[in-house]
Amino acid sequence: MACNRTLSVLAAMSCALVLGACAPGPIAHPPELRRQTTFDSVTDSAVIARDQAGWVALDLLLARNGARHGDRLVVDADRETVAGLRNRYAVTGVRVLQAPGVPPVPADQPYRATFARLVVTPPACGDWSQDPEGGHDNQPDPNFGCSQDANLARMVADPHDLIAGREPDDGYQTDADTFAVRAYRQHNIDWVFGTSGSESGGGSAD
């Protein structure tokens, strides 16, 4: 009886070893094997006076950069000034933020306004240099998930959302967030400061 039990255990262990050798190992997704979405920043700044000329200078700052939904206007002004700027530029879709880590400038002094845009470049898909059926190392081929990454980069309304979620103290600006939807529904795709509507790109396929 003991001999039969021993043989049964050995048979079970042999089967497990054989199946384990055939089972795939853990699948890793090293970043270097993926076609990456890249981000570039465009900034422009100006010192804004507390008079009508300051409003003109601020409008010009946004106009020469073709301000649109998803752009940022970062100012080192006080909260009241920031609130006023948010109301003024809500229809543009530009998010007005108070400069972090910088003491706000008093309400009677000029402040600095910085225009910031995050430019997203979708990954270049279509690299078939590797045989997708020959990956015996159990690693994904370079095109794995590339079309999803590319399409998301083209469709996202605010590129900043691709990097990180918004913080609760980011100052939720409902008018700015819903501007793109309202403009689409009203068939008005021309931005206030831009010369054209939203840039669109067709979908891609693996």
Side-chain angles (χ1 to χ4, degrees):
M1 179 67 68
C3 181
N4 291 337
R5 182 175 301 175
T6 302
L7 290 176
S8 299
V9 172
L10 291 176
M13 292 177 61
S14 299
C15 183
L17 289 174
V18 171
L19 293 176
C22 296
I27 299 178
H29 300 275
E32 62 271 12
L33 294 182
R34 294 288 298 274
R35 292 296 177 262
Q36 297 294 299
T37 299
T38 58
F39 301 88
D40 297 296
S41 59
V42 176
T43 59
D44 190 6
S45 62
V47 176
I48 308 300
R50 303 281 186 160
D51 53 18
Q52 185 60 33
W55 288 115
V56 173
L58 195 54
D59 288 345
L60 289 176
L61 173 65
L62 297 178
R64 68 171 174 256
N65 288 285
R68 60 175 183 259
H69 182 84
D71 292 337
R72 300 290 194 265
L73 183 64
V74 184
V75 297
D76 60 356
D78 56 283
R79 289 183 176 272
E80 185 175 349
T81 299
V82 172
L85 293 175
R86 287 176 176 174
N87 291 332
R88 179 181 179 89
Y89 297 116
V91 295
T92 67
V94 175
R95 294 178 63 84
V96 181
L97 305 175
Q98 193 168 27
V102 179
V105 175
D108 59 345
Q109 296 182 15
Y111 61 92
R112 176 170 293 277
T114 300
F115 169 85
R117 170 177 295 160
L118 192 63
V119 180
V120 182
T121 302
C125 303
D127 179 9
W128 300 106
S129 58
Q130 299 182 16
D131 183 1
E133 297 182 358
H136 301 296
D137 57 353
N138 206 31
Q139 299 299 320
D141 66 271
N143 280 316
F144 183 84
C146 190
S147 63
Q148 287 87 345
D149 293 343
N151 288 333
L152 182 60
R154 291 186 176 97
M155 293 186 297
V156 66
D158 188 344
H160 295 83
D161 294 336
L162 293 176
I163 299 178
R166 300 180 188 178
E167 297 294 335
D169 59 350
D170 192 19
Y172 294 110
Q173 301 171 45
T174 306
D175 290 341
D177 291 339
T178 59
F179 172 72
V181 176
R182 288 186 287 107
Y184 176 79
R185 289 176 175 174
Q186 297 170 5
H187 304 286
N188 177 23
I189 59 174
D190 290 334
W191 309 111
V192 173
F193 295 106
T195 57
S196 63
S198 60
E199 298 177 2
S200 60
S204 61
D206 282 339

